[in-house]
Amino acid sequence: VSRTLAPPERRTVEVVGCERLGAYSLLWAIDRDGPSDPQPGQFYMLSAARGWGGGAAERPYLPRAFSFARALEEGDGIRLGFLLEVVGPGTERLAALEPDDGLAVVGPLGVGFRPAREGRRPLLVGGGIGTAPLLCLADELDHPSVLLGFRSAAHATAAALFPTEVQLATDDGSAGRPGLVTELLAAELDSGPHAEVFACGPPGMLEAVRALCAEREVPAQLAMESGMACGFGACFGCVVPTTDGYVRLCVDGPVLDAAGLETARAPGGGHQG
Amino acid sequence: MSVDLCGVSLAGRVLNGSGTFDAIAARRAFGDALLERFPFDAFVSKTITFEPREGNPPPRLWEAPAGLINSIGLPNKGLEGFLAHDLPQLAELPVPLVVSVMAYSPGKLAELAGRVAERDEVALVELNVSCPNVESGLVMGAEPSETARAVEAVRAQCEKPVIVKLTPNATEPAAVAAAAEGSGADAVSLLNTLKGMALDPATRLPWLGGGSGGLSGPAVRAVALEQVAAVSSRVDIPVVGMGGIASGADAADFLAAGAQVVAVGTESFRDPAAGLRIRSELSPLKGQGTPETGEGAGPAASAAAKSSAWTT
């Protein structure tokens, strides 16, 4: 199981910057007290160290879960990168952090991607902000095939972060091919055998990926999302239905094997940003 | 310093609220470092029932201002699953174990409490008579007579100390506490979540899969403090105080209001080590109006003793 253990407490790491990246932001922080080897697909619970909580003038209350997009060795720690899209009060606060601000983190948490099965070539499929955990996965693989889909060119700037060439699709055709990333996936699966899919993206996309892979009997690992309060199994809030009943995405996921899902369109997927 | 809770010796005054910390899952995430720095002085299990429960359909969470509304629905492995799989792991924790139980009738509750209490690993039993998330018909903890019936039945079959977890969703929680005491409860704990609801902003339909849920976090702290004070002045048995405690100062308030020990719940979601932090913040506050034992202290403040906190 691809799980690096986390220290059993919230710690504060130092923000080194927050880059604008088209419609997204890339938040960088130096983690000196956590493990140096988080596994791609694992996540951190993030909150601003100041002004975030249940006290006077603090907002929001609970931390937010983010897969890390990059983990680079740096000095006595690691430089962690988180890809953000401002969609609510939490992401708004995180994207406004400045160098030397504190970022409170718990993590790395959950189970990341497992290595591809013997004899299978990894095929990375990302949609929108779900590109994040595929980036650190691509960093660790030798020339993986990467298929990404975005709403528009402003979002597709995240594709430039990848170390290898990327096949790109956008909803409005403003970058790459017009259409859906699942169309790229269907073509790729039909053109070459022995793939294993590693996917992350919005629920509709993940469900389409799951169905495509199921039809073609291609194994797939899906990094899913659900609103979380804690991230370490305490609140039982982030469950998704599987063939084994509800599982907590924070401790049994967020990467789940597609074979154990009847649908990847999780009803628990809603969050408040 | 050790604290006595119903004859069980605790190393400090900070527990977890039932259902707010899963020590088994946390050990998967944090490893044995969790045991070396265990955040609580006693561990209260998630509520167990006779039969396994899957819990409520998601979504299960909604963040409210300074709070959280949950609709979890008591997922658990059932008694046999708990005894076989969870209890051996919980027995490895470095603190006394409190097991929370719920059943749909006083007779079944007594039977369940008895089955749990006969295990050596279990120090105390907590009766969940107050979970507002489950469609169980009559809520045992909502009325004094119902609570008395449940506690009497449990008392006859349970040799371990019994804590009754009170619900704030009752007309007069202090009267329910008095009924619990009169029927043989060894302690009461409060409060459980307040009933709450959130609507999907896009559709104006209930957001939570269970329809409504329970509110916790700092949003409920003032309500909790009043109820802890009211209950503490009404009963002589120990009171476990909780509801939005996020700091040592908050904990000191609950102790001053009459609680013997406190429990941390939602704050642990923000920081798994919150219990440790609150305990360390609490210790230098001892003596600032905090009674050494909470028994019979009651709300201490008088008008003459008011500090200037409002102006700060």
Side-chain angles (χ1 to χ4, degrees):
Chain A
V1 177
S2 302
R3 186 200 301 277
T4 294
L5 299 181
E9 65 242 322
R10 186 177 60 195
R11 60 191 185 275
T12 300
V13 303
E14 178 194 331
V15 172
V16 289
C18 192
E19 297 171 36
R20 282 308 299 262
L21 207 68
Y24 300 135
S25 299
L26 189 55
L27 175 65
W28 290 104
I30 305 288
D31 183 9
R32 294 188 176 85
D33 300 312
S36 59
D37 60 343
Q39 304 297 308
Q42 285 196 293
F43 66 96
Y44 292 73
M45 298 302 290
L46 304 185
S47 54
R50 296 171 65 90
W52 188 311
E58 292 185 329
R59 185 169 183 265
Y61 172 52
L62 295 164
R64 300 294 191 259
F66 288 87
S67 297
F68 70 99
R70 275 229 147 105
L72 310 170
E73 283 182 32
E74 176 153 324
D76 53 352
I78 55 172
R79 175 186 281 248
L80 285 170
F82 297 98
L83 195 62
L84 311 175
E85 179 178 13
V86 175
V87 292
T91 43
E92 186 179 340
R93 287 288 318 281
L94 292 172
L97 289 174
E98 296 185 350
D100 301 329
D101 281 346
L103 177 69
V105 308
V106 178
L109 296 166
V111 183
F113 293 105
R114 295 171 302 285
R117 291 159 175 81
E118 188 73 31
R120 295 259 170 195
R121 64 187 175 97
L123 188 51
L124 279 51
V125 184
I129 198 77
T131 299
L134 301 178
L135 184 56
C136 51
L137 181 61
D139 285 344
E140 293 195 353
L141 299 173
D142 183 29
H143 293 88
S145 301
V146 181
L147 317 176
L148 301 178
F150 296 95
R151 270 164 280 173
S152 70
H155 299 83
T157 47
L161 297 169
F162 277 76
T164 51
E165 199 178 321
V166 165
Q167 292 186 54
L168 190 62
T170 52
D171 294 352
D172 64 1
S174 56
R177 277 184 38 175
L180 301 174
V181 69
T182 43
E183 294 163 17
L184 301 178
L185 174 61
E188 181 75 19
L189 290 176
D190 292 341
S191 73
H194 308 305
E196 177 161 355
V197 168
F198 297 76
C200 185
M205 182 207 114
L206 283 184
E207 172 53 16
V209 169
R210 188 202 63 76
L212 275 177
C213 292
E215 275 168 27
R216 291 165 172 77
E217 299 185 334
V218 171
Q221 300 182 36
L222 308 181
M224 298 175 68
E225 183 179 36
S226 176
M228 287 179 188
C230 67
F232 53 91
C235 76
F236 284 73
C238 62
V239 296
V240 297
T242 72
T243 51
D244 266 345
Y246 289 133
V247 303
R248 285 170 284 180
L249 269 191
C250 67
V251 284
D252 296 313
V255 177
L256 295 181
D257 203 296
L261 298 169
E262 275 159 14
T263 174
R265 199 189 295 269
H271 62 75
Q272 291 169 267
Chain B
M1 177 204 69
S2 77
V3 180
D4 177 273
L5 179 64
C6 308
V8 176
S9 179
L10 310 181
R13 292 184 191 270
V14 180
L15 286 59
N16 64 297
S18 175
T20 65
F21 202 93
D22 180 339
I24 297 169
R27 201 168 165 193
R28 289 170 65 199
F30 305 126
D32 287 348
L34 179 73
L35 306 189
E36 289 150 24
R37 283 173 277 171
F38 196 71
F40 309 108
D41 297 308
F43 181 73
V44 185
S45 79
K46 211 170 153 53
T47 295
I48 63 164
T49 51
F50 263 108
E51 300 302 324
R53 294 176 54 94
E54 267 221 303
N56 290 339
R60 292 178 168 185
L61 303 173
W62 180 262
E63 182 174 319
L68 174 67
I69 308 174
N70 80 79
S71 169
I72 307 298
L74 305 180
N76 77 98
K77 294 175 180 156
L79 175 65
E80 298 305 335
F82 173 81
L83 294 177
H85 301 291
D86 291 357
L87 190 56
Q89 296 181 71
L90 295 178
E92 294 177 11
L93 301 180
V95 297
L97 177 62
V98 184
V99 176
S100 170
V101 294
M102 190 197 80
Y104 298 101
S105 71
K108 295 299 277 182
L109 185 63
E111 190 185 340
L112 181 59
R115 289 286 308 277
V116 166
E118 70 190 15
R119 297 295 297 252
D120 290 342
E121 302 93 324
V122 178
L124 301 106
V125 175
E126 181 171 87
L127 308 182
N128 180 351
V129 292
S130 52
C131 188
N133 290 344
V134 180
E135 293 172 344
S136 59
L138 202 57
V139 177
M140 285 184 220
E143 285 179 48
S145 59
E146 286 293 319
T147 307
R149 205 165 299 145
V151 175
E152 274 163 24
V154 169
R155 192 69 285 168
Q157 292 192 42
C158 178
E159 291 181 0
K160 297 273 169 67
V162 171
I163 305 171
V164 178
K165 176 84 171 268
L166 301 174
T167 174
N169 307 308
T171 306
E172 195 187 357
V176 175
E181 180 180 40
S183 305
D186 299 285
V188 290
S189 55
L190 72 158
L191 46 70
N192 206 321
T193 56
L194 281 80
K195 283 187 180 180
M197 193 179 204
L199 302 185
D200 184 330
T203 63
R204 305 284 172 227
L205 295 170
W207 170 266
L208 297 168
S212 64
L215 178 65
S216 65
V220 310
R221 192 188 301 135
V223 176
L225 191 62
E226 189 279 334
Q227 294 196 9
V228 166
V231 166
S232 298
S233 64
R234 189 81 170 261
V235 300
D236 292 324
I237 52 177
V239 173
V240 182
M242 73 193 89
I245 292 175
S247 69
D250 297 338
D253 281 353
F254 280 72
L255 296 177
Q260 164 89 346
V261 296
V262 297
V264 174
T266 313
E267 185 66 12
S268 296
F269 297 165
R270 298 177 6 93
D271 178 2
L276 280 181
R277 172 177 59 79
I278 289 166
R279 190 168 75 161
S280 71
E281 289 171 355
L282 181 60
S283 47
L285 295 176
K286 301 298 269 177
Q288 292 181 17
T290 306
E292 260 315 302
T293 77
E295 284 172 41
S302 69
K306 275 193 175 57
S307 74
S308 58
W310 176 256
T311 60
T312 57

